[in-house]
Amino acid sequence: MHKKPVLLVIAHGSRDPRHAATVHALVRRVRSMRPGVRVETGFLDFNIPSVHGVLESLAAEGVRDVVALPLLLTRAFHAKADIPAVLRDAPPQLRIHQAEVLGPSPLLLSALERRLYEAGLTPGDKSSTGVVLASAGSTDPEAIAVIAAIAREWRHTGWCAVRPAFASAALPRTEDAVRELRALGCKRVAVAPYVLAPGFLPDRITQGAAEADVLADVLGPAPEVARLLLERYDAARTPVPAAVGA
């Protein structure tokens, strides 16, 4: 029987120590859910170990198969350019499968709702609550369109209204979306950060939520996020024939 591929979680990295701490907490949860899989973490920037360093170490140990999983919610620049470039530089003896980014996924909507309920909302509040789906933002039109589509889909699950907002590179800002939901007549307004870990842009979302009634925590090590990592891992290590689902 072949050994299972190593799961390499590729995180962005940040000067903010809360970022790496949250990534490591998520990875610990993934390990606890799938003890038979070796899970490593590499960072693109600011933190160690670097992705390249982890890949070099794995190759030196004799590892052959790796699933590289971008810890990203949208297919923006990092997923399309940065990560493939780093993986192309990997030691040649490694067989690397790049997994899909995490979003969009119903599991992420479940994690967002978990965080809102932890912040004080109840399922009975849905119809009278407007939600700001607050993401970091991107210059990539595909990523922006995906966030808008997620907001539309989430609205159909019973919220008063859902509006996308962005901390950078796109509009509206969180504070403007909060005011728009107030003007719509939603009884209360909640901000749900569609981000994985704390940092500079998530702090900007927090500042923009000053006039909201409820501010949820970042997704972080939510069990649904850990399950989603394992779903992406399984899909990447078990290639599906082209005809299936076509």
Side-chain angles (χ1 to χ4, degrees), residues 44-64:
L44 289 173
D45 212 348
F46 302 118
N47 301 99
I48 54 172
S50 69
V51 176
H52 187 72
V54 175
L55 292 170
E56 293 274 354
S57 297
L58 291 173
E61 281 181 42
V63 168
R64 288 294 169 263

Side-chain angles (χ1 to χ4, degrees), residues 65-178:
D65 290 290
V66 177
V67 169
L69 195 157
L71 200 58
L72 299 168
L73 295 173
T74 56
R75 268 185 53 74
F77 179 77
H78 295 297
K80 293 176 178 177
D82 282 8
I83 291 173
V86 172
L87 297 180
R88 278 194 297 272
D89 276 346
Q93 63 268 46
L94 291 176
R95 284 187 296 261
I96 299 178
H97 302 274
Q98 184 175 335
E100 287 294 325
V101 297
L102 298 179
S105 165
L107 283 169
L108 290 173
L109 288 182
S110 297
L112 286 165
E113 295 206 350
R114 170 189 291 275
R115 293 301 189 225
L116 285 168
Y117 298 149
E118 287 170 351
L121 290 179
T122 69
D125 295 328
K126 277 182 105 165
S127 61
S128 56
T129 302
V131 180
V132 178
L133 180 69
S135 80
S138 173
T139 54
D140 187 310
E142 181 190 345
I144 297 299
V146 165
I147 300 296
I150 293 167
R152 285 194 299 274
E153 179 189 341
W154 202 17
R155 158 75 181 82
H156 294 311
T157 65
W159 297 101
C160 171
V162 180
R163 291 287 185 274
F166 307 94
S168 70
L171 294 172
R173 294 283 178 259
T174 302
E175 52 269 34
D176 298 323
V178 169

